[in-house]
């Protein structure tokens, strides 16, 4: 047994480093490169495709916010929250588009203009589409994180997921709705 595995006070990080340095079958060592440049070099068409899906989600969420604000049913506090959340989504959109370009890809364009919405009668009706999109955006981000090959991109997408979950939570609370009833509610 290796000394790495027998040390009782070894931290988990030291344990994993020891495993990485331990030779595998036929004497081939495991090579672990965790720096951003190596990760970005491995990123390719798969990361671009995933980022384009997330970009499409951001653009659709922005459109949902535009429709909700345009219906003139939101009280000033919800109007303000919608404006701040939309600004976050514009920042997400721009960051995702820049990341796609940096990887050599082409970002998806803006979707076709949609009608302002069906005849909503309440702010809750107007925000239902936004709330659903915030939830699906958080879920999509969390599902894509393990699939991204570039570690730095995974970190950015995790931060976007946090924003999406925060928006969902704040809008639900503002609308008087209950939070999820169980742990691990997002990303399933």
């Amino acid at each position: 047994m290796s000394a790495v595995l027998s040390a009782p006070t070894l931290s988990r990080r030291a344990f994993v480093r020891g495993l990485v340095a331990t030779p595998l079958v036929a004497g081939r060592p495991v090579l672990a490169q965790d720096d951003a440049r190596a990760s970005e070099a491995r990123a390719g068409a798969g990361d671009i495709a995933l980022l384009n899906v997330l970009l499409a989600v951001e653009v659709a969420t922005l459109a949902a916010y535009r429709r909700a604000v345009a219906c003139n049913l939101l009280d000033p506090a919800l109007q303000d929250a919608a404006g701040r959340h939309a600004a976050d989504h514009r920042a997400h959109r721009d960051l995702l588009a820049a990341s796609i370009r940096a990887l050599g890809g082409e970002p998806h364009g803006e979707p076709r203009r949609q009608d302002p919405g069906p005849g909503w009668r309440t702010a809750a009706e107007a925000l239902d589409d936004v709330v659903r999109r915030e939830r699906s955006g958080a879920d999509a981000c969390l599902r894509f994180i393990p699939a991204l090959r570039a570690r730095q991109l995974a970190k950015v997408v995790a931060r976007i997921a946090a924003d999406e979950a925060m928006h969902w939570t704040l809008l639900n609370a503002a609308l008087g709705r209950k939070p999820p009833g169980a742990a691990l509610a997002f990303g399933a």
Side-chain angles (χ1 to χ4, degrees):
M1 181 179 290
S2 136
V4 172
L5 298 177
S6 63
T9 60
L10 206 51
S11 71
R12 183 169 39 172
R13 179 172 285 162
F15 174 76
V16 171
R17 281 188 186 138
L19 287 178
V20 168
T22 303
L24 284 182
V25 179
R28 288 187 289 165
V30 176
L31 298 176
Q33 293 183 325
D34 198 7
D35 68 28
R37 285 177 285 141
S39 295
E40 288 175 16
R42 290 191 310 265
D47 283 358
I48 292 169
L50 292 175
L51 293 178
N52 263 318
V53 170
L54 294 177
L55 178 60
V57 169
E58 290 295 333
V59 169
T61 303
L62 272 168
Y65 272 108
R66 276 193 298 270
R67 288 190 302 275
V69 168
C71 75
N72 294 319
L73 292 171
L74 305 182
D75 65 33
L78 282 175
Q79 193 86 343
D80 180 57
R84 285 183 283 118
H85 295 180
D88 290 348
H89 287 285
R90 283 189 293 276
H92 297 165
R93 177 199 61 199
D94 296 346
L95 179 60
L96 289 168
S99 297
I100 291 165
R101 284 188 198 97
L103 291 171
E106 184 63 34
H108 291 167
E110 292 284 324
R112 292 178 295 177
R113 261 302 188 209
Q114 297 177 354
D115 292 330
W120 294 314
R121 291 170 286 162
T122 67
E125 288 176 356
L127 287 175
D128 274 340
D129 186 37
V130 173
V131 170
R132 276 192 310 274
R133 289 182 187 280
E134 291 287 8
R135 176 65 186 255
S136 66
D139 289 342
C141 287
L142 292 171
R143 281 191 302 271
F144 287 179
I145 290 168
L148 289 165
R149 294 175 68 188
R151 182 177 167 99
Q152 286 303 104
L153 290 176
K155 181 179 177 181
V156 167
V157 171
R159 293 177 72 192
I160 291 172
D163 284 351
E164 307 283 0
M166 177 185 61
H167 295 162
W168 182 87
T169 301
L170 291 172
L171 288 175
N172 270 327
L175 293 170
R177 297 176 181 167
K178 293 182 180 182
L184 305 174
F186 287 92

